[in-house]
Amino acid sequence: MGLNKGTVNIKGKNYKLVVQRVNDFRTKFVGYGMDTKIYDLGHETGYVVMETKIYNPEGKIIASGYAEEKRNSTMINKTSALENCETSSIGRALACLGLGGTEYSSADELVRALKEQDQIQSKAVI
């Protein structure tokens, strides 16, 4: 964890964990709502796609976020691609609302992207 509760520092930038963003949302935005929608389960395409919308108490959409996860791309996605995608989608919507630490991407998204870059670079060297 970083200096602030619920954040991690990756390469000098602070990323707020999605669980902390949700806790902040529930305490700071009383009466607001959140809804997730699955666009693709990935059974045929290999990609799970989801959207999260955040509503104010009057029902107006005030923030949204999309996420895509490739099934079988990581150990987590082999068993939990849908859950992983939903978490990323929620994190991006909450970042759109202003609950994202100093960066828009979630810490999990950044760690995954960095690992994928390392894997691509390793294959290119071989």
Side-chain angles (χ1 to χ4, degrees):
M1 291 285 177
L3 296 174
N4 300 318
K5 179 183 174 190
T7 64
V8 293
N9 187 289
I10 301 172
K11 294 194 173 194
K13 295 183 180 180
N14 292 321
Y15 294 86
K16 191 174 280 192
L17 300 174
V18 174
V19 66
Q20 186 60 48
R21 293 179 194 192
V22 171
N23 289 336
D24 290 348
F25 173 71
R26 296 291 178 210
T27 57
K28 295 176 183 176
F29 292 86
V30 177
Y32 286 63
M34 183 185 310
D35 183 39
T36 59
K37 179 179 180 180
I38 302 166
Y39 285 97
D40 192 338
L41 283 170
H43 296 302
E44 293 182 22
T45 64
Y47 290 89
V48 177
V49 180
M50 294 193 71
E51 177 188 26
T52 298
K53 293 180 183 176
I54 298 176
Y55 300 88
N56 68 12
E58 292 77 36
K60 181 180 177 186
I61 298 169
I62 58 168
S64 65
Y66 287 88
E68 174 183 83
E69 292 291 338
K70 184 176 181 181
R71 287 196 174 272
N72 299 319
S73 63
T74 65
M75 291 304 292
I76 292 170
N77 281 354
K78 286 182 181 182
T79 60
S80 305
L82 179 64
E83 296 87 339
N84 196 19
C85 191
E86 182 178 44
T87 300
S88 293
S89 174
I90 290 169
R92 294 188 68 76
L94 291 171
C96 184
L97 187 63
L99 298 175
T102 61
E103 300 301 321
Y104 196 83
S105 300
S106 73
D108 294 334
E109 288 175 313
L110 183 63
V111 168
R112 265 195 321 274
L114 291 171
K115 284 182 182 177
E116 287 177 17
Q117 283 179 352
D118 288 345
Q119 289 173 355
I120 290 169
Q121 290 174 354
S122 294
K123 289 178 183 176
V125 172
I126 296 176

